[in-house]
Amino acid sequence: KAGVTQTPRYLIKTRGQQVTLSCSPISGHRSVSWYQQTPGQGLQFLFEYFSETQRNKGNFPGRFSGRQFSNSRSEMNVSTLELGDSALYLCASSPQDIGNTIYFGEGSWLTVV
Amino acid sequence: EDQVTQSPEALRLQEGESSSLNCSYTVSGLRGLFWYRQDPGKGPEFLFTLYSAGEEKEKERLKATLTKKESFLHITAPKPEDSATYLCAVLGTALIFGKGTTLSVSS
């Protein structure tokens, strides 16, 4: 069974631009969550979607947004990029509730220059 | 406020030298504790889920245990391929990760 798929794997953007990252969850999984990982802060929760609805949101500015489609695929968007947004963005999926074990994708490496 | 602290930050072992990694937590209403392994440049790989104090789970050379305040990941007779960063996460009202323990095993 295929794992969580994230695209693109690597990207470089300029300050002020915006970026969209995509995530395809494991087949049958309805919950998708997003995380930002940096060397200094570790893994930080961005938001979680279930059945196209955002159920939980972490402590990130409104420049970070996401959505989930009817097929459970999800996208996250970061607008007005800042240098500090450079990070590994990880998507994870779980069968129903975030209380279940979550399975991560390989991540999207974003570099903002 | 829910918190997760992992120690040590880094651990160097010789092949075959057993040790334990610690994950201390404070959470209002633990709904689950998770251990992951992360290799450089990759996403975290799921290892274990523990739900209640006293629970233990094993997989190959790894064994995870849980008390009301902490969890341990015991590594028995490690091999160089066990070198990675081990992450602990607790689920209360939200899923919170520790900063991880980077394990290096030399032959």
Side-chain angles (χ1 to χ4, degrees):
Chain A
K1 171 161 147 175
V4 178
T5 304
Q6 293 188 244
T7 57
R9 286 278 286 133
Y10 305 92
L11 65 167
I12 300 174
K13 291 286 188 178
T14 304
R15 270 185 304 176
Q17 287 186 315
Q18 65 115 26
V19 66
T20 298
L21 308 177
S22 180
C23 173
S24 292
I26 292 171
S27 178
H29 284 194
R30 297 170 64 189
S31 170
V32 173
S33 50
W34 289 89
Y35 298 82
Q36 181 194 66
Q37 187 174 33
T38 59
Q41 298 298 319
L43 260 165
Q44 293 185 289
F45 172 70
L46 281 158
F47 28 67
E48 185 238 348
Y49 287 87
F50 182 80
S51 293
E52 302 178 66
T53 301
Q54 186 182 90
R55 290 203 299 192
N56 289 295
K57 189 176 190 305
N59 189 26
F60 278 81
R63 300 185 297 106
F64 292 81
S65 64
R67 60 178 175 168
Q68 186 181 32
F69 302 96
S70 58
N71 60 0
S72 293
R73 193 178 68 84
S74 177
E75 290 181 347
M76 68 162 282
N77 183 276
V78 187
S79 62
T80 318
L81 284 165
E82 301 177 358
L83 296 179
D85 296 333
S86 295
L88 176 63
Y89 289 88
L90 291 160
C91 171
S93 75
S94 69
Q96 295 178 15
D97 193 296
I98 198 170
N100 295 129
T101 300
I102 62 172
Y103 298 89
F104 286 89
E106 294 296 330
S108 293
W109 284 95
L110 171 65
T111 301
V112 182
V113 297
Chain B
E1 184 183 336
D2 297 350
Q3 282 191 324
V4 179
T5 303
Q6 290 188 247
S7 61
E9 288 185 18
L11 180 63
R12 291 182 177 274
L13 298 174
Q14 291 289 318
E15 184 172 5
E17 180 186 1
S18 302
S19 188
S20 296
L21 313 183
N22 177 263
C23 172
S24 298
Y25 64 91
T26 54
V27 62
S28 50
L30 179 70
R31 294 164 56 194
L33 185 142
F34 309 89
W35 281 99
Y36 290 86
R37 168 194 170 126
Q38 187 173 26
D39 293 302
K42 296 195 171 184
E45 174 190 347
F46 168 71
L47 293 174
F48 303 108
T49 303
L50 302 167
Y51 290 106
S52 56
E55 191 174 356
E56 299 183 351
K57 289 195 177 170
E58 286 188 71
K59 178 182 178 180
E60 296 180 356
R61 294 179 293 283
L62 301 176
K63 178 180 177 179
T65 62
L66 180 64
T67 72
K68 288 187 177 179
K69 294 183 179 180
E70 56 193 352
S71 176
F72 291 94
L73 184 65
H74 307 278
I75 302 177
T76 302
K79 298 182 177 181
E81 53 262 43
D82 294 322
S83 298
T85 296
Y86 291 85
L87 297 167
C88 168
V90 295
L91 178 64
T93 54
L95 188 63
I96 299 174
F97 280 83
K99 297 285 179 71
T101 294
T102 299
L103 173 66
S104 298
V105 182
S106 54
S107 56

